[in-house]
C-alpha cells in the first residue's frame, strides 16, 4: 500500500477490552469523501490483480470475516469492494440462523466445510462469531455454553492459519443513530423495503447487549493469527475505502506470484509459428 493512501485502521490488541467506546463510528481520519471516491477504483482494481495472482498460485488463501450490527454495511462492502474480484476464485458465504441439522452438531461444524480452498478469497458475511455474539445477546444459550467457545475459536483460527489461510476479521462499527437513519431509509424507498426485517427492531432493543458481546469477542479473539480490525462505518464511502486499502495491503504483503511452468518457450513458439 502506498503511504499517501494508507488509512488509519483500528487493530484490536488481544485482551484490550472496551475498545468500541474509544472509536468514533463517524470518524473518517481526515480523509475527504472526494479523495476516497477517487481512489477506490484504483484500490479495487489492484485487489482484483492480487486476487488473480493468488488464484493462479493455488498455494495460500484468504478468509475475510465481516461482522457488525444490522445495517452496518456487510452486503455493501461485498458489493463495492470485493465485487471486482474474479468470481472463479471468490466465494461469499452468508450464515443465517442455524438449521436443525446444524444445531445438532458443534457450532463449528457448519463453518469448516466453507473455509477457503487453496487460491480462494472467501468472505464470511456473518460467521462463527454469531455463536458468541447473537447467542449471548439473545440469551439463546447459557454462559457455560458460549463462553468456552472463545478458546475454541482461537484454536480453530490458529489451525486455519497454519494451513495457509490468511484471516482478516472486520467489525463494521456504526452508531445507534446511524442505524436508525438507515432503517428509516429502507422504509422511505420502495426498492429498499424488502431489506426491512421486523427482527432488526428487536435486535435494536438489545443494542447494549450486542455491543457488550462484540466487545468481548473482539478482545478475546484478536490474535496474531487472526486479528480483528474495527472499521468506522457511519460513512459508507469511508468504510469501502478503508476496507479496500486494508485488503490491498494484506494481499500485497502476501505477494502472490504467477506460477512459472516448466516449458520450453522457444520450442513452443517455433511450433506455433505460421507456416512459411
Amino acid at each position: 500500500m502506498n503511504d499517501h493512501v494508507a488509512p488509519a485502521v483500528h487493530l484490536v490488541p488481544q485482551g484490550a477490552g472496551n475498545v468500541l467506546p474509544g472509536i468514533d463510528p463517524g470518524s473518517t481520519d481526515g480523509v475527504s469523501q472526494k479523495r476516497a471516491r477517487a481512489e477506490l477504483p484504483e484500490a479495487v482494481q489492484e485487489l482484483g490483480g492480487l486476487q488473480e495472482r493468488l488464484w493462479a498460485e493455488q498455494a495460500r488463501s484468504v478468509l475475510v470475516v465481516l461482522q457488525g450490527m444490522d445495517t452496518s454495511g456487510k452486503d455493501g462492502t461485498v458489493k463495492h469492494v470485493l465485487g471486482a474480484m474474479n468470481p472463479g476464485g471468490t466465494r461469499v458465504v452468508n450464515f443465517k440462523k442455524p438449521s436443525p441439522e446444524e444445531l445438532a452438531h458443534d457450532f463449528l461444524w457448519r463453518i469448516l466445510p466453507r473455509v477457503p480452498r487453496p487460491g480462494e478469497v472467501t468472505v464470511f458475511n456473518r460467521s462463527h462469531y454469531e455463536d458468541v455474539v447473537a447467542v449471548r445477546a439473545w440469551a439463546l444459550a447459557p454462559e457455560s455454553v458460549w463462553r468456552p467457545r472463545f478458546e475454541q475459536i482461537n484454536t480453530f483460527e490458529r489451525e486455519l492459519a497454519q494451513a495457509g489461510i490468511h484471516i482478516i476479521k472486520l467489525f463494521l462499527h456504526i452508531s445507534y443513530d446511524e442505524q436508525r437513519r438507515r432503517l428509516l431509509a429502507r422504509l422511505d424507498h420502495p426498492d429498499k423495503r424488502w431489506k426491512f426485517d421486523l427482527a432488526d427492531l428487536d435486535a435494536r432493543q438489545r443494542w447494549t447487549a450486542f455491543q457488550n458481546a462484540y466487545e468481548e469477542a473482539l478482545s478475546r479473539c484478536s490474535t496474531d493469527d487472526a486479528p480483528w480490525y474495527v472499521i468506522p462505518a457511519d460513512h459508507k464511502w469511508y468504510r469501502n475505502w478503508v476496507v479496500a486499502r486494508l485488503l490491498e495491503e494484506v494481499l500485497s504483503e502476501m505477494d502472490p506470484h504467477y506460477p512459472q511452468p516448466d516449458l520450453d518457450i522457444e520450442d513452443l513458439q517455433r511450433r506455433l509459428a505460421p507456416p512459411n
Side-chain angles (χ1 to χ4, degrees), residues 94-120:
N94 294 282
F95 287 99
K96 304 294 186 181
K97 181 179 178 180
S99 68
E101 181 184 18
E102 290 169 340
L103 287 172
H105 292 81
D106 178 84
F107 76 103
L108 292 172
W109 181 81
R110 68 175 181 158
I111 306 295
L112 186 57
R114 295 170 171 85
V115 300
R117 296 180 285 267
E120 281 189 338

Side-chain angles (χ1 to χ4, degrees), residues 157-168:
E157 292 177 345
R158 181 167 60 249
E159 291 172 350
L160 293 184
Q162 291 170 349
I165 299 175
H166 199 110
I167 306 170
I168 311 164

Side-chain angles (χ1 to χ4, degrees), residues 173-247:
H173 185 33
I174 65 166
S175 64
Y176 187 76
D177 289 342
E178 178 61 20
Q179 187 192 60
R180 174 181 175 275
R181 285 189 286 270
R182 293 185 185 182
L183 288 171
L184 287 173
R186 290 180 179 180
L187 295 176
D188 291 340
H189 296 86
D191 60 339
K192 299 290 186 182
R193 288 174 187 162
W194 66 273
K195 288 186 173 184
F196 195 92
D197 189 336
L198 289 175
D200 293 344
L201 296 182
D202 295 333
R204 184 169 166 80
Q205 296 300 314
R206 296 173 180 260
W207 181 274
T208 299
F210 271 97
Q211 293 293 298
N212 291 339
Y214 270 120
E215 281 281 7
E216 186 164 9
L218 296 174
S219 175
R220 294 280 301 274
C221 297
S222 187
T223 65
D224 291 340
D225 294 315
W228 268 111
Y229 297 91
V230 177
I231 310 297
D234 273 7
H235 299 285
K236 297 177 183 179
W237 56 266
Y238 179 73
R239 174 202 71 207
N240 293 339
W241 180 82
V242 170
V243 172
R245 288 305 186 189
L246 176 59
L247 294 181

